[in-house]
Amino acid sequence: MTTTTPRPVELDDVQGLLRFGYSHHTEACFLLLRVKDPAAARAWLAQAPVTTAVEAKPVPATAMQVAISGPGLAALGIPDDLAAGFSEEFLAGMAGDEDRSRRLGDLDSSHPSNWAWGAGDAVPHVLLLLYALPGHLADWRRSLEAELASGFTLQAELDTADLAGREPFGFRDGLSQPEVDWERRRPVEDRDRLEYGNLTCLGEFLLGYPNEYGLYTDRPLLDPGRDPGVLLPRAEDRPELADLGRNGSYLVLRELRQDVAGLWRWLAQQAGGDLDRARDWAEAMVGRKLDGRSRIPGARGLNGFDYAADPEGLHCPFGAHIRRANPRNADYPAGTRGILARVRRFLGFDAGALPQDLVASTRFHRILRRGRAFGTPPVPEQALAEPPPTAGTGLHFICLGANIGRQFEFVQSAWIQGTRFAGLPGEGDPLLGHRLPGPDGAPSDCFSIPRADGPDQRLCGLPHFVEVRGGGYFFLPGIRALRYMTRPR
Amino acid sequence: MTPQSPFLVVASVAAGREAGLRALLAEMNSAPGVVDPDNPVLPFGRFERVHFARLMVLDQTTMADLSLYGVSPPDLGLRLVLLGDCDGPARTLLDELAAGAEDGLRRLFGHCEGFDPGTGLAAWLHAHSRPTQANYVNWLGRTVCQIHEESALQRFLSARVPRMPVASGEARRRRRELIEAARAEQRAGRLRLSAPQPAPLGWWLGNLAHALGVPLLALLVSPMLLLAAPWFVWRLRSLERSDPEHCPPPEAGHLRALRELEDRGLTNQFTAVGPVKPGAFRHALVPVLLLAIDWGARHIFHRGHLARVQTIHFARWVVLDGGARVLFCSNYDGIHEAYMDDFINKVAWGLNLIFSNGVGWPRTDWLVARGARREGCFKKYQRAHQVPSQVWYDAYPGVTLNDMRRNRRIREGLEQGEMGEDQALAWLRLL
């Protein structure tokens, strides 16, 4: 454990998205760019007005964030040996190989070969995220596009919609977020946590700081000879080296098309037209009520709960989307107190605790979500009316983290797609599951709702409600790292 | 109770035969990482005693790391390894394989040194068998047959149970109806629940002798151990400070080759191999630790969990090449990343205990602390030491250990006599 006061975070070197969701900026648009002229592209990026994590009063009318993909680094002329210091997942890319797609559940109609962007030659080089207060996006975006034309081609523009805090299926969204330890209050140490908590080490989201293991995640560290102008900060753990990763993060973007009408119609049909029951099932599938309230009795507010009091999934089914995405458990099963109890559980001798110990400790698998909805989803009542609305709607899922493999990919493959999550009998996520049969041909398209007075209720034959239309891994650099990478040479 | 045993055959690949051998191994798969259980070379699926099996070409991989100590690595050549886990004794299984897949095995081992058409196959397999120093079985006595039968029972009952609330006082009746239905299936020959076989007397005696013998041995040498303890601790600590740590990132091609075989079903295989640190201290410590691990696995951790980890079907540690290197193999449920998560967060101490004697392992304290807890370093190390299994067989894809535990409880509840209302309801809820 360190006793010295840790260096404060250089907020002016951190992109604002790590600290803010830009919720006042209800207009947003994400530009996917390909580098056309590397020198011109670098020159533009070198002076790009990137908004930092320093709190501004009043809030700025517009905010821009910049992220670069693995192929983008090469396209901008970043030397390979320097890029090699980034994580393997980032360099390989979300659609880099079949094995990754299989693990992420990007199969069937969600397979990268069906994507609108992000696979093969269609990996964007640079991602520009534009956020604006109401009325400020359109003109700004037009003038930016004109500026960008010399260095980039505009591959695609992802428009977003302001659904007033809801996601397209109609549920309140974005309620659960880890609390990032900006003040660096958590000691740098490797110690078991006996309780689920929301406060998460800075290093889980920001490169260059200690993570939940008390360690620094790998990132490109440079010989100071490669940074003669001292543009880059020095590494905290290795002060003799320049830190290209510090204050940066990885950004995961996925375009998820949601079949809103499909979900509500299917549920209504299963419920024999009983809309209250259909809503109840939808809420069980999500794990929250439509208005965002937890299904766990005694929850404090929208986010003050865990599942220790619901070990049988009677209130929130094990398979519910939010229970999978964030199981809210600690390093040991609930109720571990005292030396003897811990020793017994440490060795696995507490038979009662073992069934509660099937899910990995949550704190190593948190993600910071920054997604935005798109399209004009019908409200549930509309979704049930004829004819079904056809316009595309869904979520531009965005999450940030310092370790794509341990955070986004783990959550997506072990928890969301895992058909035996928490001991379930064989079913994927009720919203995001790929629905393909298992290796023995057993179906994975059911959803189990446990009840105290009988065998689980089971909804089977769930259709595909969410389809992946594109996606990519990006590096969201610190401001100095961005200037370093795009400096004139 | 039918005990499970590990089998292991190791042979040197003859010069110039590697490419042909790899092609033959690839022929056994229907896709990379997916063996055809009925393949013409070694149709594993026809041998009902086999739980898991794998064939791999073992090269010298990380032996070169010995140069960290200024030691030049021995030339171990290329090995063909056949290993697996079976019900009953391994020796008779090898005989069955030799008899039932003779042509294919001859084709396989025909790529090895000293194997010619006149070689007696079974005798060759026995002569090239190697002992397993430490072996872990998730549930001692659970046979392949039992796993399949109980899984079929669960599928039958789960499909049949009415998925609605059970009115108060109705649970026992509903259970009886299900039992009746299952009995009718059994009578019609569509469901089978074979009675367990008694444990062979010889095995039982041997196991008892092992259970008592190892602690007795420890007790006998304990005065000497006590005397040597200060020296041991001093030596360990100084080595822990000076042993080099070596965790370079695995090569992209190596990682791809491993991942291609992984996460195709619910269960995965893992194999890693690496040299033992040079010097008498480590080379003396490894067999002692393996003896202790083997004892713990055999007599303590044989009922569903290895310490806190509940997802390992079988695991083994094997000393190869006169102690020069250690091979670790396991079969586990879930994705690779989750397996590593368990290693780091649940049993890092156990990994450190044995693997910190391997060259380059992340730095430990007191043999058990840190080491694998050093996440980034550990993850690179394990990938760099992992070797692909060209052929891997799983007798029950689609059935996880947790499924087996539930299925066993379902069967127990079926075979139990009258139940109380609460107990009957709990049984129904398992379905």
Side-chain angles (χ1 to χ4, degrees), chain A residues 102 190 331 365 451 453, chain B residues 163 166 262 308 341 373:
Chain A
R102 187 175 65 238
D190 182 16
D331 294 358
H365 311 286
R451 62 175 149 218
D453 59 352
Chain B
R163 300 204 167 273
V166 179
E262 280 171 3
R308 277 178 74 190
D341 192 279
R373 285 296 293 189

Side-chain angles (χ1 to χ4, degrees), chain B residues 32 41 84 96 150 212 232 244 255-256 276 296 313 320 406 413 425:
Chain B
V41 182
E96 284 169 32
E150 291 176 359
L212 301 174
F232 176 86
L255 208 50
R256 260 200 309 279
V276 175
H313 292 256
L320 289 179
R406 179 201 57 216
L425 179 62

Side-chain angles (χ1 to χ4, degrees), chain B residues 153-202:
Chain B
L153 174 70
Q154 179 266 330
R155 283 197 304 273
F156 172 77
L157 291 173
S158 290
R160 179 162 287 246
V161 65
R163 300 204 167 273
M164 51 181 68
V166 179
S168 149
E170 283 290 287
R172 283 194 294 180
R173 187 182 58 78
R174 201 161 285 177
R175 171 172 170 263
R176 274 197 301 273
E177 286 168 5
L178 285 168
I179 292 178
E180 264 321 300
R183 296 282 177 243
E185 284 294 289
Q186 279 180 284
R187 282 192 298 273
R190 287 188 293 265
L191 268 185
R192 255 188 359 171
L193 289 173
S194 311
Q197 302 288 312
L201 183 67

Side-chain angles (χ1 to χ4, degrees), chain B residues 210 287 298 336 396 408:
Chain B
H210 189 267
R298 247 168 103 165
H336 179 92
Y396 28 83
R408 181 180 51 82

Side-chain angles (χ1 to χ4, degrees), chain B residues 150-383:
Chain B
E150 291 176 359
S151 179
L153 174 70
Q154 179 266 330
R155 283 197 304 273
F156 172 77
L157 291 173
S158 290
R160 179 162 287 246
V161 65
R163 300 204 167 273
M164 51 181 68
V166 179
S168 149
E170 283 290 287
R172 283 194 294 180
R173 187 182 58 78
R174 201 161 285 177
R175 171 172 170 263
R176 274 197 301 273
E177 286 168 5
L178 285 168
I179 292 178
E180 264 321 300
R183 296 282 177 243
E185 284 294 289
Q186 279 180 284
R187 282 192 298 273
R190 287 188 293 265
L191 268 185
R192 255 188 359 171
L193 289 173
S194 311
Q197 302 288 312
L201 183 67
W203 177 87
W204 193 84
L205 288 172
N207 201 48
L208 186 67
H210 189 267
L212 301 174
V214 172
L216 202 65
L217 186 74
L219 198 67
L220 281 176
V221 297
S222 59
M224 276 181 294
L225 291 182
L226 217 58
L227 277 177
W231 174 84
F232 176 86
V233 168
W234 169 81
R235 184 74 186 133
L236 175 72
R237 294 299 290 153
S238 65
L239 284 175
E240 283 184 330
R241 274 187 289 269
S242 66
D243 280 335
E245 177 179 270
H246 188 59
C247 316
E251 286 170 31
H254 177 66
L255 208 50
R256 260 200 309 279
L258 295 169
R259 286 199 173 140
E260 189 184 26
L261 307 176
E262 280 171 3
D263 304 330
R264 288 178 177 272
L266 300 172
T267 307
N268 271 312
Q269 46 75 32
F270 182 84
T271 312
V273 64
V276 175
K277 288 171 177 172
F281 183 84
R282 299 290 189 179
H283 278 261
L285 194 54
V286 166
V288 175
L289 290 170
L290 288 181
L291 185 69
I293 290 171
D294 191 52
W295 188 86
R298 247 168 103 165
H299 307 294
I300 296 176
F301 295 116
H302 57 80
R303 278 291 175 267
H305 62 96
L306 183 54
R308 277 178 74 190
V309 179
Q310 304 175 66
T311 51
I312 303 176
H313 292 256
F314 294 91
R316 70 168 86 192
W317 293 257
V318 177
V319 173
L320 289 179
D321 304 305
R325 53 180 172 171
V326 170
L327 177 78
F328 172 77
C329 299
S330 63
N331 302 285
Y332 64 92
D333 291 331
I335 62 167
H336 179 92
E337 183 74 19
Y339 188 43
M340 291 305 126
D341 192 279
D342 275 355
F343 273 0
I344 297 169
N345 293 334
K346 289 181 177 166
V347 285
W349 60 275
L351 266 73
N352 292 338
L353 198 62
I354 179 69
F355 293 115
S356 68
N357 300 294
V359 171
W361 185 258
R363 202 169 289 284
T364 50
D365 283 328
W366 307 101
L367 206 56
V368 291
R370 292 207 298 163
R373 285 296 293 189
R374 309 199 38 218
E375 184 223 355
C377 196
F378 164 73
K379 281 183 176 165
K380 285 181 278 185
Y381 185 93
Q382 60 86 16
R383 277 300 197 186

